[in-house]
Amino acid sequence: MARQITAITPQKRNRNRYNVYIDDEYAFSVSSKIAMTLHAGQPVDENQLESLKRSDEREQAFERSLHYLSFRARSRKEILWYLEKRVSTQRPFNPRFRVWKTTVTSTMRHL
């Protein structure tokens, strides 16, 4: 059964993130880059919701990596260690971590 995005609002403390409401209930938050692809009234199913959440996790990992790199040059190993440390302290181990960890490092290699 397809559900519907009813609202997308900016967060109060972090203006670069948006809250997504599905059927008038808060569902999750996404980065501004992902929020630009969504609109109110858009039907979404469970697969699309999972895809949005995965995309947002990759985006957050990439942003954290850039922030970590902003202080000084880092090796690939340092970035991976930092991401592992940040993810493990914020939420239980995510099996998708291995996937977006390699995505982030391969993307950064091309910068």
Side-chain angles (χ1 to χ4, degrees), residues 3-4 6 10 25 34 37 44 46 60 67 72 77 81 95 110:
R3 296 160 51 189
Q4 188 173 348
T6 52
E25 290 184 19
I34 295 171
T37 65
V44 290
E46 293 303 319
Q60 281 183 335
H67 177 72
R72 68 173 177 87
K77 187 175 181 179
W81 174 82
H110 298 291

Side-chain angles (χ1 to χ4, degrees), residues 62 66 69 76 79 102-111:
F62 186 72
L66 288 178
L69 281 169
R76 181 175 185 257
I79 294 169
T102 54
T103 304
V104 166
T105 55
S106 66
T107 302
M108 296 186 111
R109 193 174 311 143
H110 298 291
L111 292 177

